[in-house]
Amino acid sequence: TGPVELKMRLTFSLLFLFYVLTIGAHADNESLILSDNTKHLSLAPYVSLMEDKDGVFSIDEVSSKGLAKRFVRNKSNTPNPGYTESAYWIRFSLRNPTNQNIRSYLELDYPTLNYIDFYAPNLRGGYDKKSTGDHYPFSQREFENLGFIFSLNIPAQSDQIYYLRVQSTSVILPLSLWEYKKLNRKNLIEYSLLGIYIGGLLVIALYNFFIFLSVRENVYLYYVLYTLGFALAEASLNGTAFQFLWPNQIWWANHVI
């Protein structure tokens, strides 16, 4: 019975190894399955990242089988390479099992990213490219929004692989998919809250300026300048200053923060 038992153990081990490899390969290529009722989903569990230290790879190279193995599956709630000089490629796959096209919207909600290239598959077998970021005029964005939004049209009964290339001094990648009405509602709430916040700071600054005019004590003037500086910093970090104050002043927008 010794050789028989050894053979059974060896067979079981090989089957188990095959199962693990199969599951691993499946997980690495897992697609996010969409439906007509998809309103909002985080892409964090479905994206893979590849570091491009010299920033030299093209979309043809990145989408080839040769570099496919260099992508690492994201395991955090928000992909966060942090401060870096490298470019990062992000890959994700969407599956539309329905009998009609699905229109969805990809949001990258980090306003201070410098360079973003979005690659969507086209009917010619290649990729269409859209470039944006805070190193481009605000008018170049597909949608006028604090973050970066790209429209997706996923054909019926298809799997589509998308790529993003991001290069910035600080890279954080909060990626989400949205349905149009849900996205509009979210933006309306976000702009309203930011308006109340920045407006409140300006009211405080104005109030203290009037006090300064009345009592002529410099401490109130210093507080006015501090409050205005704080409001400007906040507006620059959340993107409202770039959108509403200097949408074409790229150098200033990136140095005022």
Side-chain angles (χ1 to χ4, degrees), residues 34 94-102 154-159:
L34 304 177
L94 302 179
R95 177 178 300 168
N96 178 7
T98 71
N99 295 320
Q100 59 184 3
N101 294 356
I102 291 179
I154 304 98
Q157 300 289 333
S158 71
D159 284 82

Side-chain angles (χ1 to χ4, degrees), residues 112-142:
T112 58
L113 292 173
N114 300 151
Y115 300 99
I116 303 168
D117 295 322
F118 174 63
Y119 295 90
N122 56 40
L123 298 177
R124 302 182 301 275
Y127 285 86
D128 293 326
K129 174 183 175 182
K130 297 176 183 176
S131 297
T132 185
D134 72 357
H135 275 44
Y136 295 92
F138 195 88
S139 58
Q140 187 165 326
R141 302 189 185 192
E142 185 177 359

Side-chain angles (χ1 to χ4, degrees), residues 184-197:
N184 277 345
R185 192 177 303 115
K186 174 254 188 188
N187 287 336
L188 178 61
I189 295 173
E190 185 175 39
Y191 276 102
S192 298
L193 292 176
L194 285 173
I196 293 171
Y197 177 53

Side-chain angles (χ1 to χ4, degrees), residues 80-188:
N80 183 10
Y83 291 97
T84 177
E85 296 182 357
S86 302
Y88 274 85
W89 288 87
I90 302 95
R91 181 185 68 192
F92 62 93
S93 177
L94 302 179
R95 177 178 300 168
N96 178 7
T98 71
N99 295 320
Q100 59 184 3
N101 294 356
I102 291 179
R103 174 73 69 174
S104 190
Y105 295 86
L106 170 67
E107 180 187 38
L108 178 48
D109 193 15
Y110 194 66
T112 58
L113 292 173
N114 300 151
Y115 300 99
I116 303 168
D117 295 322
F118 174 63
Y119 295 90
N122 56 40
L123 298 177
R124 302 182 301 275
Y127 285 86
D128 293 326
K129 174 183 175 182
K130 297 176 183 176
S131 297
T132 185
D134 72 357
H135 275 44
Y136 295 92
F138 195 88
S139 58
Q140 187 165 326
R141 302 189 185 192
E142 185 177 359
F143 296 91
E144 294 187 358
N145 194 71
L146 297 178
F148 306 99
I149 298 176
F150 307 93
S151 59
L152 309 179
N153 186 31
I154 304 98
Q157 300 289 333
S158 71
D159 284 82
Q160 302 290 311
I161 299 177
Y162 298 88
Y163 292 89
L164 281 159
R165 182 187 185 275
V166 176
Q167 190 164 15
S168 186
T169 51
S170 175
V171 178
I172 300 176
L173 304 167
L175 290 159
S176 300
L177 278 184
W178 293 88
E179 181 263 344
Y180 185 72
K181 290 183 178 179
K182 186 83 171 179
L183 177 61
N184 277 345
R185 192 177 303 115
K186 174 254 188 188
N187 287 336
L188 178 61

Side-chain angles (χ1 to χ4, degrees), residues 28-40:
D28 195 49
N29 294 289
E30 183 179 354
S31 295
L32 172 56
I33 301 176
L34 304 177
S35 71
D36 296 332
N37 297 319
T38 302
K39 303 296 183 183
H40 173 231

Side-chain angles (χ1 to χ4, degrees), residues 194-209:
L194 285 173
I196 293 171
Y197 177 53
I198 300 298
L201 291 174
L202 296 178
V203 168
I204 292 173
L206 185 62
Y207 174 75
N208 282 272
F209 181 68

Side-chain angles (χ1 to χ4, degrees), residues 60-76:
D60 292 332
E61 294 172 313
V62 169
S63 58
S64 67
K65 292 183 179 180
L67 290 181
K69 296 179 180 179
R70 294 185 56 174
F71 279 87
V72 178
R73 192 62 174 268
N74 172 61
K75 296 180 180 179
S76 62

